[in-house]
Each structure stands twice: as C-alpha cells, then as structure tokens.
C-alpha cells in the first residue's frame, strides 16, 4: 500500500487554532520574524524579536508551549456516549467465538466480502474528512488526501493481493543436509488481534491494519484513541455488515480500556 505522509506537529496545532503564521520551534531558536509569530491575523510589519518573546508569542498563537504538547482542539472532553462502558473482555470473547468460522472461509471468500469497503470509504469521503478535522484539527483537504484516498487504496491492494500472499510457499531445502525432505510455508491466522491506534491518522492507520488482519482470517477488536473516538466510530461504521457478527468489535475509552483489552486474552496486539 502507498506510504502515508507523516504530519508535522505544528501543522496539526496550527489547524486547530487557525493560526496562519505559526512556525517551527527551531525557527525561534535565534528569533523569528515578528509577523510570523503574531497569530491568526498576523502583523503587517516585518522585524525580528528576541527568542524568548518569539517563543511566548508562538505559544499564544499555536496553543502549546512545547511541540510535544497536544493542540488545544485535543483537550476537549472525551465523547462519553459510546464505549468507555463497554466490557473489553466481553467483546474479545465474542471475537474468539466468531473467529474460527471466519478463518475457515477461503481467502477468496473473505476478500469478496471486504471488497465493498473501498466504495463505502469513498462514498463517505466528505463526512470522514469533516470528522477528522473536528477531532484532530487536520484540514479537510489533508484528511481527504492523507486519510480517505489512501484507505481506499489499502482496501484495493489487500483484497486483490491476499490470495497470492496466503498461498502455501514451497521452500528450498538443502538436499545434502536434508536428503529426501521437502518444506512448505503456510500462513495461518493468529486468532484475535487487538488493534490500538493513535490519534494523528485516526481513520487511515486503523484500516491499514484492520483490513489485512481480517483478510488473513483473524477477528479484530479495535480501540481508537480517546482523542478521536468519532473517527474510530466511522471505522466501525464502514465495516458494519461486511463480516459476521463478532468478527470485528470496537471498544472506546482511555488507557484503562486499552489495558483491559490487552489483558483480555487476545493473541496479538498491534
């Protein structure tokens, strides 16, 4: 699948506060142009200000004193009407029960069922971009180019490639060391995979892990970042009905939910 671009932290922060003049922290090391640090409206005059003053102005404009701090749009309360109350072990148990039948299907049949996901993603492109913009401050055009279109490509790639990738592979065996021996490599599903994702690509990163995991015959339990629960809910929405009940599940919440998921007997955590 095509590599996804890595966002710069300052562009995310600037998107949240509509600060058109924000610059990188290292640009302030020896001072900054006064207009560049003046905030959304900017200053029409161009001049240099001391490093401390530049950092202070930049802090006000961008909404964070340090590059590693989350932008202001990420500090609003977690959406509480979904899954912080969901019992992660219960969702994992349902996935465990549903996985054998899903894994027993042929790779061709699993791919056939997931192929419609591409059109679902594209049909909801604008809605996905709006939610990503609302939750993490990413401009809608950037969300379309970095989240929606790559996700559609991911679905097309994996659904068209999975059969060949899962075909048994004959291995070269040293005939002298192992006379009369033959070797075959077969790939099997792990079982139940926990997918715990960050906030910075809240739609694209989950799908590029969930799609191949499902196609390989695994069941998946997905926990999105507590910063981007609505984007996580959209991932569940586009997958709804494509796989049997229990094969894909979602839990929402913070670190306590992630810990509960990891300790619920999953076979792999991604």
């Amino acid at each position: 699948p095509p590599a996804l671009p890595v966002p710069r932290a300052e562009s995310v922060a600037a998107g949240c506060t509509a600060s058109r003049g924000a610059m990188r922290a290292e640009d302030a090391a020896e001072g900054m142009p006064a207009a560049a640090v003046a905030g959304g409206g900017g200053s029409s005059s161009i001049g240099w200000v001391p490093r401390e003053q530049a950092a202070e102005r930049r802090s006000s404009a961008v909404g964070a004193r340090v590059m590693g701090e989350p932008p202001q749009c990420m500090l609003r309360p977690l959406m509480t009407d979904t899954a912080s109350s969901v019992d992660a072990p219960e969702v994992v148990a349902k996935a465990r029960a549903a996985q054998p039948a899903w894994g027993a299907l042929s790779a061709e049949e699993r791919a056939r069922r997931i192929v419609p996901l591409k059109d679902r993603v594209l049909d909801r492109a604008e809605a996905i971009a709006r939610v990503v913009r609302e939750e993490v401050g990413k401009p809608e055009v950037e969300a379309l180019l970095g989240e929606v279109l790559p996700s559609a490509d991911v679905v097309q790639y994996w659904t068209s490639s999975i059969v060949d990738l899962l075909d048994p592979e004959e291995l070269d065996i040293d005939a002298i060391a192992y006379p009369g021996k033959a070797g075959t490599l077969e790939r099997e599903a792990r079982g139940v995979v926990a997918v715990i994702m960050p906030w910075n690509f809240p739609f694209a990163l989950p799908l590029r892990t969930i799609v191949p995991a499902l196609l390989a015959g695994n069941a998946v339990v997905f926990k999105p970042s507590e910063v981007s629960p609505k984007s996580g809910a959209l991932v569940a929405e586009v997958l709804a009905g494509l796989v049997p009940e229990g094969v894909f599940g979602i839990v929402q919440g913070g670190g306590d939910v992630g810990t509960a998921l990891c300790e619920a007997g999953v076979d792999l955590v991604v």
Side-chain angles (χ1 to χ4, degrees), residues 127-164:
I128 294 166
R130 282 196 301 269
V131 170
V132 171
R133 172 72 177 90
E134 175 187 341
E135 288 195 306
V136 303
K138 188 176 296 187
E140 290 188 23
V141 171
E142 183 179 344
L144 287 169
L145 295 177
E147 303 262 3
V148 177
L149 298 182
S151 295
D153 287 343
V154 160
V155 176
Q156 180 174 343
Y157 170 81
W158 282 109
T159 53
S160 62
S161 304
I162 194 65
V163 173
D164 289 339

PDB file of all heavy atoms in Angstrom, residues 127-164:
ATOM      1  N   ALA A 127     -17.708  13.243   4.777  1.00  0.00           N
ATOM      2  CA  ALA A 127     -18.072  13.092   6.185  1.00  0.00           C
ATOM      3  C   ALA A 127     -16.856  12.679   7.010  1.00  0.00           C
ATOM      4  O   ALA A 127     -16.647  13.182   8.131  1.00  0.00           O
ATOM      5  CB  ALA A 127     -19.190  12.065   6.334  1.00  0.00           C
ATOM      6  N   ILE A 128     -16.045  11.775   6.478  1.00  0.00           N
ATOM      7  CA  ILE A 128     -14.837  11.349   7.182  1.00  0.00           C
ATOM      8  C   ILE A 128     -13.894  12.529   7.367  1.00  0.00           C
ATOM      9  O   ILE A 128     -13.348  12.751   8.460  1.00  0.00           O
ATOM     10  CB  ILE A 128     -14.138  10.215   6.404  1.00  0.00           C
ATOM     11  CG1 ILE A 128     -15.015   8.964   6.406  1.00  0.00           C
ATOM     12  CG2 ILE A 128     -12.768   9.908   7.002  1.00  0.00           C
ATOM     13  CD1 ILE A 128     -14.580   7.907   5.405  1.00  0.00           C
ATOM     14  N   ALA A 129     -13.691  13.306   6.304  1.00  0.00           N
ATOM     15  CA  ALA A 129     -12.793  14.458   6.392  1.00  0.00           C
ATOM     16  C   ALA A 129     -13.280  15.469   7.421  1.00  0.00           C
ATOM     17  O   ALA A 129     -12.479  16.062   8.159  1.00  0.00           O
ATOM     18  CB  ALA A 129     -12.650  15.110   5.017  1.00  0.00           C
ATOM     19  N   ARG A 130     -14.580  15.686   7.492  1.00  0.00           N
ATOM     20  CA  ARG A 130     -15.126  16.644   8.471  1.00  0.00           C
ATOM     21  C   ARG A 130     -14.883  16.179   9.905  1.00  0.00           C
ATOM     22  O   ARG A 130     -14.506  16.975  10.773  1.00  0.00           O
ATOM     23  CB  ARG A 130     -16.617  16.846   8.232  1.00  0.00           C
ATOM     24  CG  ARG A 130     -16.957  17.753   7.067  1.00  0.00           C
ATOM     25  CD  ARG A 130     -18.401  18.213   7.126  1.00  0.00           C
ATOM     26  NE  ARG A 130     -19.334  17.088   7.105  1.00  0.00           N
ATOM     27  CZ  ARG A 130     -19.843  16.572   5.993  1.00  0.00           C
ATOM     28  NH1 ARG A 130     -19.500  17.066   4.806  1.00  0.00           N
ATOM     29  NH2 ARG A 130     -20.695  15.550   6.050  1.00  0.00           N
ATOM     30  N   VAL A 131     -15.094  14.902  10.140  1.00  0.00           N
ATOM     31  CA  VAL A 131     -14.894  14.390  11.498  1.00  0.00           C
ATOM     32  C   VAL A 131     -13.425  14.454  11.892  1.00  0.00           C
ATOM     33  O   VAL A 131     -13.083  14.833  13.017  1.00  0.00           O
ATOM     34  CB  VAL A 131     -15.432  12.946  11.604  1.00  0.00           C
ATOM     35  CG1 VAL A 131     -15.019  12.315  12.923  1.00  0.00           C
ATOM     36  CG2 VAL A 131     -16.949  12.943  11.483  1.00  0.00           C
ATOM     37  N   VAL A 132     -12.537  14.089  10.978  1.00  0.00           N
ATOM     38  CA  VAL A 132     -11.101  14.168  11.262  1.00  0.00           C
ATOM     39  C   VAL A 132     -10.704  15.618  11.553  1.00  0.00           C
ATOM     40  O   VAL A 132      -9.937  15.895  12.478  1.00  0.00           O
ATOM     41  CB  VAL A 132     -10.285  13.597  10.090  1.00  0.00           C
ATOM     42  CG1 VAL A 132      -8.796  13.868  10.272  1.00  0.00           C
ATOM     43  CG2 VAL A 132     -10.531  12.086   9.963  1.00  0.00           C
ATOM     44  N   ARG A 133     -11.241  16.541  10.778  1.00  0.00           N
ATOM     45  CA  ARG A 133     -10.964  17.967  11.012  1.00  0.00           C
ATOM     46  C   ARG A 133     -11.441  18.401  12.392  1.00  0.00           C
ATOM     47  O   ARG A 133     -10.736  19.096  13.129  1.00  0.00           O
ATOM     48  CB  ARG A 133     -11.661  18.800   9.931  1.00  0.00           C
ATOM     49  CG  ARG A 133     -11.624  20.316  10.163  1.00  0.00           C
ATOM     50  CD  ARG A 133     -10.222  20.853   9.928  1.00  0.00           C
ATOM     51  NE  ARG A 133     -10.180  22.301  10.063  1.00  0.00           N
ATOM     52  CZ  ARG A 133      -9.944  22.938  11.203  1.00  0.00           C
ATOM     53  NH1 ARG A 133      -9.744  22.250  12.318  1.00  0.00           N
ATOM     54  NH2 ARG A 133      -9.901  24.254  11.226  1.00  0.00           N
ATOM     55  N   GLU A 134     -12.620  17.960  12.746  1.00  0.00           N
ATOM     56  CA  GLU A 134     -13.198  18.349  14.036  1.00  0.00           C
ATOM     57  C   GLU A 134     -12.389  17.797  15.202  1.00  0.00           C
ATOM     58  O   GLU A 134     -12.174  18.495  16.201  1.00  0.00           O
ATOM     59  CB  GLU A 134     -14.637  17.835  14.118  1.00  0.00           C
ATOM     60  CG  GLU A 134     -15.304  18.077  15.467  1.00  0.00           C
ATOM     61  CD  GLU A 134     -16.655  17.404  15.564  1.00  0.00           C
ATOM     62  OE1 GLU A 134     -17.241  17.064  14.511  1.00  0.00           O
ATOM     63  OE2 GLU A 134     -17.131  17.208  16.696  1.00  0.00           O
ATOM     64  N   GLU A 135     -11.936  16.559  15.076  1.00  0.00           N
ATOM     65  CA  GLU A 135     -11.305  15.913  16.224  1.00  0.00           C
ATOM     66  C   GLU A 135      -9.825  16.228  16.365  1.00  0.00           C
ATOM     67  O   GLU A 135      -9.342  16.399  17.495  1.00  0.00           O
ATOM     68  CB  GLU A 135     -11.488  14.399  16.126  1.00  0.00           C
ATOM     69  CG  GLU A 135     -12.908  13.956  16.387  1.00  0.00           C
ATOM     70  CD  GLU A 135     -13.020  12.468  16.659  1.00  0.00           C
ATOM     71  OE1 GLU A 135     -12.536  11.677  15.824  1.00  0.00           O
ATOM     72  OE2 GLU A 135     -13.595  12.115  17.685  1.00  0.00           O
ATOM     73  N   VAL A 136      -9.069  16.274  15.276  1.00  0.00           N
ATOM     74  CA  VAL A 136      -7.621  16.444  15.409  1.00  0.00           C
ATOM     75  C   VAL A 136      -7.095  17.689  14.715  1.00  0.00           C
ATOM     76  O   VAL A 136      -5.887  17.933  14.702  1.00  0.00           O
ATOM     77  CB  VAL A 136      -6.857  15.199  14.905  1.00  0.00           C
ATOM     78  CG1 VAL A 136      -7.316  13.967  15.661  1.00  0.00           C
ATOM     79  CG2 VAL A 136      -7.027  15.005  13.409  1.00  0.00           C
ATOM     80  N   GLY A 137      -7.978  18.491  14.114  1.00  0.00           N
ATOM     81  CA  GLY A 137      -7.544  19.756  13.551  1.00  0.00           C
ATOM     82  C   GLY A 137      -6.903  19.671  12.188  1.00  0.00           C
ATOM     83  O   GLY A 137      -6.365  20.660  11.697  1.00  0.00           O
ATOM     84  N   LYS A 138      -6.969  18.525  11.556  1.00  0.00           N
ATOM     85  CA  LYS A 138      -6.356  18.365  10.240  1.00  0.00           C
ATOM     86  C   LYS A 138      -7.264  19.018   9.185  1.00  0.00           C
ATOM     87  O   LYS A 138      -8.465  18.775   9.167  1.00  0.00           O
ATOM     88  CB  LYS A 138      -6.182  16.878   9.939  1.00  0.00           C
ATOM     89  CG  LYS A 138      -5.377  16.569   8.697  1.00  0.00           C
ATOM     90  CD  LYS A 138      -5.188  15.054   8.572  1.00  0.00           C
ATOM     91  CE  LYS A 138      -4.378  14.492   9.703  1.00  0.00           C
ATOM     92  NZ  LYS A 138      -4.054  13.058   9.495  1.00  0.00           N
ATOM     93  N   PRO A 139      -6.729  19.863   8.307  1.00  0.00           N
ATOM     94  CA  PRO A 139      -7.568  20.450   7.256  1.00  0.00           C
ATOM     95  C   PRO A 139      -8.266  19.363   6.441  1.00  0.00           C
ATOM     96  O   PRO A 139      -7.722  18.276   6.238  1.00  0.00           O
ATOM     97  CB  PRO A 139      -6.570  21.238   6.391  1.00  0.00           C
ATOM     98  CG  PRO A 139      -5.436  21.539   7.315  1.00  0.00           C
ATOM     99  CD  PRO A 139      -5.341  20.352   8.236  1.00  0.00           C
ATOM    100  N   GLU A 140      -9.476  19.670   5.976  1.00  0.00           N
ATOM    101  CA  GLU A 140     -10.266  18.654   5.286  1.00  0.00           C
ATOM    102  C   GLU A 140      -9.582  18.140   4.021  1.00  0.00           C
ATOM    103  O   GLU A 140      -9.655  16.951   3.703  1.00  0.00           O
ATOM    104  CB  GLU A 140     -11.656  19.194   4.971  1.00  0.00           C
ATOM    105  CG  GLU A 140     -12.516  19.362   6.218  1.00  0.00           C
ATOM    106  CD  GLU A 140     -13.956  19.723   5.902  1.00  0.00           C
ATOM    107  OE1 GLU A 140     -14.418  19.441   4.776  1.00  0.00           O
ATOM    108  OE2 GLU A 140     -14.619  20.289   6.784  1.00  0.00           O
ATOM    109  N   VAL A 141      -8.910  19.029   3.289  1.00  0.00           N
ATOM    110  CA  VAL A 141      -8.200  18.578   2.085  1.00  0.00           C
ATOM    111  C   VAL A 141      -7.100  17.594   2.466  1.00  0.00           C
ATOM    112  O   VAL A 141      -6.906  16.559   1.816  1.00  0.00           O
ATOM    113  CB  VAL A 141      -7.624  19.782   1.315  1.00  0.00           C
ATOM    114  CG1 VAL A 141      -6.697  19.313   0.202  1.00  0.00           C
ATOM    115  CG2 VAL A 141      -8.740  20.631   0.737  1.00  0.00           C
ATOM    116  N   GLU A 142      -6.384  17.907   3.540  1.00  0.00           N
ATOM    117  CA  GLU A 142      -5.335  16.999   4.000  1.00  0.00           C
ATOM    118  C   GLU A 142      -5.928  15.666   4.451  1.00  0.00           C
ATOM    119  O   GLU A 142      -5.357  14.597   4.212  1.00  0.00           O
ATOM    120  CB  GLU A 142      -4.562  17.641   5.147  1.00  0.00           C
ATOM    121  CG  GLU A 142      -3.394  16.803   5.651  1.00  0.00           C
ATOM    122  CD  GLU A 142      -2.620  17.470   6.765  1.00  0.00           C
ATOM    123  OE1 GLU A 142      -2.781  18.693   6.956  1.00  0.00           O
ATOM    124  OE2 GLU A 142      -1.860  16.771   7.455  1.00  0.00           O
ATOM    125  N   ALA A 143      -7.080  15.725   5.103  1.00  0.00           N
ATOM    126  CA  ALA A 143      -7.729  14.493   5.527  1.00  0.00           C
ATOM    127  C   ALA A 143      -8.153  13.641   4.328  1.00  0.00           C
ATOM    128  O   ALA A 143      -8.025  12.416   4.340  1.00  0.00           O
ATOM    129  CB  ALA A 143      -8.938  14.817   6.401  1.00  0.00           C
ATOM    130  N   LEU A 144      -8.663  14.288   3.288  1.00  0.00           N
ATOM    131  CA  LEU A 144      -9.042  13.555   2.083  1.00  0.00           C
ATOM    132  C   LEU A 144      -7.833  12.884   1.438  1.00  0.00           C
ATOM    133  O   LEU A 144      -7.882  11.716   1.047  1.00  0.00           O
ATOM    134  CB  LEU A 144      -9.723  14.493   1.090  1.00  0.00           C
ATOM    135  CG  LEU A 144     -11.144  14.939   1.434  1.00  0.00           C
ATOM    136  CD1 LEU A 144     -11.576  16.068   0.504  1.00  0.00           C
ATOM    137  CD2 LEU A 144     -12.117  13.768   1.326  1.00  0.00           C
ATOM    138  N   LEU A 145      -6.736  13.649   1.330  1.00  0.00           N
ATOM    139  CA  LEU A 145      -5.549  13.135   0.641  1.00  0.00           C
ATOM    140  C   LEU A 145      -4.758  12.156   1.498  1.00  0.00           C
ATOM    141  O   LEU A 145      -4.100  11.250   0.967  1.00  0.00           O
ATOM    142  CB  LEU A 145      -4.646  14.303   0.217  1.00  0.00           C
ATOM    143  CG  LEU A 145      -5.236  15.264  -0.815  1.00  0.00           C
ATOM    144  CD1 LEU A 145      -4.269  16.408  -1.092  1.00  0.00           C
ATOM    145  CD2 LEU A 145      -5.566  14.529  -2.106  1.00  0.00           C
ATOM    146  N   GLY A 146      -4.779  12.334   2.810  1.00  0.00           N
ATOM    147  CA  GLY A 146      -3.960  11.507   3.682  1.00  0.00           C
ATOM    148  C   GLY A 146      -4.700  10.420   4.417  1.00  0.00           C
ATOM    149  O   GLY A 146      -4.066   9.509   4.963  1.00  0.00           O
ATOM    150  N   GLU A 147      -6.032  10.496   4.454  1.00  0.00           N
ATOM    151  CA  GLU A 147      -6.805   9.513   5.207  1.00  0.00           C
ATOM    152  C   GLU A 147      -7.749   8.718   4.303  1.00  0.00           C
ATOM    153  O   GLU A 147      -7.756   7.490   4.328  1.00  0.00           O
ATOM    154  CB  GLU A 147      -7.646  10.223   6.287  1.00  0.00           C
ATOM    155  CG  GLU A 147      -6.847  11.075   7.254  1.00  0.00           C
ATOM    156  CD  GLU A 147      -6.543  10.359   8.553  1.00  0.00           C
ATOM    157  OE1 GLU A 147      -6.897   9.178   8.699  1.00  0.00           O
ATOM    158  OE2 GLU A 147      -5.939  10.994   9.428  1.00  0.00           O
ATOM    159  N   VAL A 148      -8.544   9.425   3.487  1.00  0.00           N
ATOM    160  CA  VAL A 148      -9.607   8.756   2.739  1.00  0.00           C
ATOM    161  C   VAL A 148      -9.049   8.010   1.516  1.00  0.00           C
ATOM    162  O   VAL A 148      -9.257   6.795   1.362  1.00  0.00           O
ATOM    163  CB  VAL A 148     -10.683   9.766   2.298  1.00  0.00           C
ATOM    164  CG1 VAL A 148     -11.743   9.071   1.448  1.00  0.00           C
ATOM    165  CG2 VAL A 148     -11.314  10.424   3.519  1.00  0.00           C
ATOM    166  N   LEU A 149      -8.364   8.726   0.638  1.00  0.00           N
ATOM    167  CA  LEU A 149      -7.884   8.082  -0.593  1.00  0.00           C
ATOM    168  C   LEU A 149      -6.886   6.963  -0.322  1.00  0.00           C
ATOM    169  O   LEU A 149      -6.998   5.882  -0.928  1.00  0.00           O
ATOM    170  CB  LEU A 149      -7.285   9.141  -1.529  1.00  0.00           C
ATOM    171  CG  LEU A 149      -8.263  10.219  -2.015  1.00  0.00           C
ATOM    172  CD1 LEU A 149      -7.565  11.186  -2.969  1.00  0.00           C
ATOM    173  CD2 LEU A 149      -9.476   9.585  -2.693  1.00  0.00           C
ATOM    174  N   PRO A 150      -5.919   7.147   0.583  1.00  0.00           N
ATOM    175  CA  PRO A 150      -5.034   6.016   0.877  1.00  0.00           C
ATOM    176  C   PRO A 150      -5.770   4.818   1.462  1.00  0.00           C
ATOM    177  O   PRO A 150      -5.391   3.677   1.210  1.00  0.00           O
ATOM    178  CB  PRO A 150      -4.045   6.606   1.898  1.00  0.00           C
ATOM    179  CG  PRO A 150      -4.032   8.065   1.624  1.00  0.00           C
ATOM    180  CD  PRO A 150      -5.452   8.395   1.242  1.00  0.00           C
ATOM    181  N   SER A 151      -6.834   5.065   2.234  1.00  0.00           N
ATOM    182  CA  SER A 151      -7.593   3.945   2.794  1.00  0.00           C
ATOM    183  C   SER A 151      -8.290   3.153   1.699  1.00  0.00           C
ATOM    184  O   SER A 151      -8.338   1.912   1.748  1.00  0.00           O
ATOM    185  CB  SER A 151      -8.618   4.472   3.805  1.00  0.00           C
ATOM    186  OG  SER A 151      -7.970   5.054   4.923  1.00  0.00           O
ATOM    187  N   ALA A 152      -8.837   3.845   0.713  1.00  0.00           N
ATOM    188  CA  ALA A 152      -9.436   3.141  -0.422  1.00  0.00           C
ATOM    189  C   ALA A 152      -8.388   2.321  -1.163  1.00  0.00           C
ATOM    190  O   ALA A 152      -8.645   1.167  -1.570  1.00  0.00           O
ATOM    191  CB  ALA A 152     -10.101   4.147  -1.367  1.00  0.00           C
ATOM    192  N   ASP A 153      -7.203   2.888  -1.337  1.00  0.00           N
ATOM    193  CA  ASP A 153      -6.120   2.148  -1.995  1.00  0.00           C
ATOM    194  C   ASP A 153      -5.712   0.918  -1.185  1.00  0.00           C
ATOM    195  O   ASP A 153      -5.392  -0.138  -1.753  1.00  0.00           O
ATOM    196  CB  ASP A 153      -4.909   3.053  -2.196  1.00  0.00           C
ATOM    197  CG  ASP A 153      -5.121   4.082  -3.290  1.00  0.00           C
ATOM    198  OD1 ASP A 153      -6.052   3.906  -4.091  1.00  0.00           O
ATOM    199  OD2 ASP A 153      -4.359   5.073  -3.330  1.00  0.00           O
ATOM    200  N   VAL A 154      -5.681   1.068   0.144  1.00  0.00           N
ATOM    201  CA  VAL A 154      -5.319  -0.052   1.010  1.00  0.00           C
ATOM    202  C   VAL A 154      -6.288  -1.212   0.815  1.00  0.00           C
ATOM    203  O   VAL A 154      -5.878  -2.378   0.697  1.00  0.00           O
ATOM    204  CB  VAL A 154      -5.296   0.403   2.489  1.00  0.00           C
ATOM    205  CG1 VAL A 154      -5.417  -0.784   3.428  1.00  0.00           C
ATOM    206  CG2 VAL A 154      -4.007   1.170   2.782  1.00  0.00           C
ATOM    207  N   VAL A 155      -7.576  -0.905   0.772  1.00  0.00           N
ATOM    208  CA  VAL A 155      -8.576  -1.961   0.578  1.00  0.00           C
ATOM    209  C   VAL A 155      -8.376  -2.649  -0.767  1.00  0.00           C
ATOM    210  O   VAL A 155      -8.392  -3.888  -0.861  1.00  0.00           O
ATOM    211  CB  VAL A 155     -10.002  -1.383   0.682  1.00  0.00           C
ATOM    212  CG1 VAL A 155     -11.028  -2.467   0.378  1.00  0.00           C
ATOM    213  CG2 VAL A 155     -10.243  -0.784   2.064  1.00  0.00           C
ATOM    214  N   GLN A 156      -8.166  -1.869  -1.809  1.00  0.00           N
ATOM    215  CA  GLN A 156      -7.979  -2.455  -3.137  1.00  0.00           C
ATOM    216  C   GLN A 156      -6.734  -3.329  -3.185  1.00  0.00           C
ATOM    217  O   GLN A 156      -6.758  -4.431  -3.755  1.00  0.00           O
ATOM    218  CB  GLN A 156      -7.887  -1.353  -4.191  1.00  0.00           C
ATOM    219  CG  GLN A 156      -7.696  -1.880  -5.605  1.00  0.00           C
ATOM    220  CD  GLN A 156      -7.761  -0.779  -6.655  1.00  0.00           C
ATOM    221  OE1 GLN A 156      -8.249   0.305  -6.392  1.00  0.00           O
ATOM    222  NE2 GLN A 156      -7.279  -1.074  -7.842  1.00  0.00           N
ATOM    223  N   TYR A 157      -5.651  -2.841  -2.595  1.00  0.00           N
ATOM    224  CA  TYR A 157      -4.402  -3.610  -2.604  1.00  0.00           C
ATOM    225  C   TYR A 157      -4.568  -4.953  -1.907  1.00  0.00           C
ATOM    226  O   TYR A 157      -4.248  -6.013  -2.467  1.00  0.00           O
ATOM    227  CB  TYR A 157      -3.278  -2.814  -1.951  1.00  0.00           C
ATOM    228  CG  TYR A 157      -2.043  -3.647  -1.719  1.00  0.00           C
ATOM    229  CD1 TYR A 157      -1.141  -3.896  -2.746  1.00  0.00           C
ATOM    230  CD2 TYR A 157      -1.792  -4.231  -0.473  1.00  0.00           C
ATOM    231  CE1 TYR A 157      -0.015  -4.689  -2.545  1.00  0.00           C
ATOM    232  CE2 TYR A 157      -0.677  -5.017  -0.259  1.00  0.00           C
ATOM    233  CZ  TYR A 157       0.212  -5.247  -1.293  1.00  0.00           C
ATOM    234  OH  TYR A 157       1.315  -6.035  -1.092  1.00  0.00           O
ATOM    235  N   TRP A 158      -5.062  -4.905  -0.670  1.00  0.00           N
ATOM    236  CA  TRP A 158      -5.112  -6.139   0.113  1.00  0.00           C
ATOM    237  C   TRP A 158      -6.138  -7.127  -0.429  1.00  0.00           C
ATOM    238  O   TRP A 158      -5.887  -8.340  -0.437  1.00  0.00           O
ATOM    239  CB  TRP A 158      -5.388  -5.822   1.580  1.00  0.00           C
ATOM    240  CG  TRP A 158      -4.179  -5.324   2.313  1.00  0.00           C
ATOM    241  CD1 TRP A 158      -3.954  -4.051   2.763  1.00  0.00           C
ATOM    242  CD2 TRP A 158      -3.017  -6.085   2.661  1.00  0.00           C
ATOM    243  NE1 TRP A 158      -2.725  -3.977   3.369  1.00  0.00           N
ATOM    244  CE2 TRP A 158      -2.124  -5.210   3.320  1.00  0.00           C
ATOM    245  CE3 TRP A 158      -2.641  -7.414   2.478  1.00  0.00           C
ATOM    246  CZ2 TRP A 158      -0.889  -5.621   3.802  1.00  0.00           C
ATOM    247  CZ3 TRP A 158      -1.403  -7.832   2.951  1.00  0.00           C
ATOM    248  CH2 TRP A 158      -0.549  -6.946   3.609  1.00  0.00           C
ATOM    249  N   THR A 159      -7.281  -6.658  -0.868  1.00  0.00           N
ATOM    250  CA  THR A 159      -8.287  -7.593  -1.380  1.00  0.00           C
ATOM    251  C   THR A 159      -7.844  -8.240  -2.690  1.00  0.00           C
ATOM    252  O   THR A 159      -8.260  -9.361  -3.000  1.00  0.00           O
ATOM    253  CB  THR A 159      -9.646  -6.902  -1.579  1.00  0.00           C
ATOM    254  OG1 THR A 159      -9.479  -5.731  -2.400  1.00  0.00           O
ATOM    255  CG2 THR A 159     -10.254  -6.497  -0.249  1.00  0.00           C
ATOM    256  N   SER A 160      -7.022  -7.547  -3.454  1.00  0.00           N
ATOM    257  CA  SER A 160      -6.540  -8.115  -4.714  1.00  0.00           C
ATOM    258  C   SER A 160      -5.270  -8.952  -4.541  1.00  0.00           C
ATOM    259  O   SER A 160      -4.907  -9.717  -5.434  1.00  0.00           O
ATOM    260  CB  SER A 160      -6.282  -7.006  -5.742  1.00  0.00           C
ATOM    261  OG  SER A 160      -5.269  -6.125  -5.293  1.00  0.00           O
ATOM    262  N   SER A 161      -4.597  -8.826  -3.392  1.00  0.00           N
ATOM    263  CA  SER A 161      -3.310  -9.500  -3.190  1.00  0.00           C
ATOM    264  C   SER A 161      -3.355 -10.638  -2.189  1.00  0.00           C
ATOM    265  O   SER A 161      -2.454 -11.487  -2.178  1.00  0.00           O
ATOM    266  CB  SER A 161      -2.252  -8.484  -2.718  1.00  0.00           C
ATOM    267  OG  SER A 161      -2.124  -7.413  -3.608  1.00  0.00           O
ATOM    268  N   ILE A 162      -4.376 -10.657  -1.328  1.00  0.00           N
ATOM    269  CA  ILE A 162      -4.335 -11.566  -0.182  1.00  0.00           C
ATOM    270  C   ILE A 162      -4.292 -13.033  -0.580  1.00  0.00           C
ATOM    271  O   ILE A 162      -3.625 -13.845   0.082  1.00  0.00           O
ATOM    272  CB  ILE A 162      -5.538 -11.291   0.762  1.00  0.00           C
ATOM    273  CG1 ILE A 162      -5.309 -11.971   2.110  1.00  0.00           C
ATOM    274  CG2 ILE A 162      -6.849 -11.723   0.118  1.00  0.00           C
ATOM    275  CD1 ILE A 162      -4.154 -11.436   2.896  1.00  0.00           C
ATOM    276  N   VAL A 163      -4.961 -13.411  -1.655  1.00  0.00           N
ATOM    277  CA  VAL A 163      -4.968 -14.822  -2.044  1.00  0.00           C
ATOM    278  C   VAL A 163      -3.559 -15.288  -2.369  1.00  0.00           C
ATOM    279  O   VAL A 163      -3.105 -16.344  -1.896  1.00  0.00           O
ATOM    280  CB  VAL A 163      -5.919 -15.049  -3.243  1.00  0.00           C
ATOM    281  CG1 VAL A 163      -5.793 -16.483  -3.747  1.00  0.00           C
ATOM    282  CG2 VAL A 163      -7.354 -14.748  -2.847  1.00  0.00           C
ATOM    283  N   ASP A 164      -2.844 -14.519  -3.172  1.00  0.00           N
ATOM    284  CA  ASP A 164      -1.469 -14.898  -3.514  1.00  0.00           C
ATOM    285  C   ASP A 164      -0.569 -14.870  -2.285  1.00  0.00           C
ATOM    286  O   ASP A 164       0.317 -15.727  -2.128  1.00  0.00           O
ATOM    287  CB  ASP A 164      -0.913 -13.942  -4.575  1.00  0.00           C
ATOM    288  CG  ASP A 164      -1.564 -14.142  -5.929  1.00  0.00           C
ATOM    289  OD1 ASP A 164      -2.129 -15.228  -6.167  1.00  0.00           O
ATOM    290  OD2 ASP A 164      -1.530 -13.194  -6.749  1.00  0.00           O
TER     291      ASP A 164
END
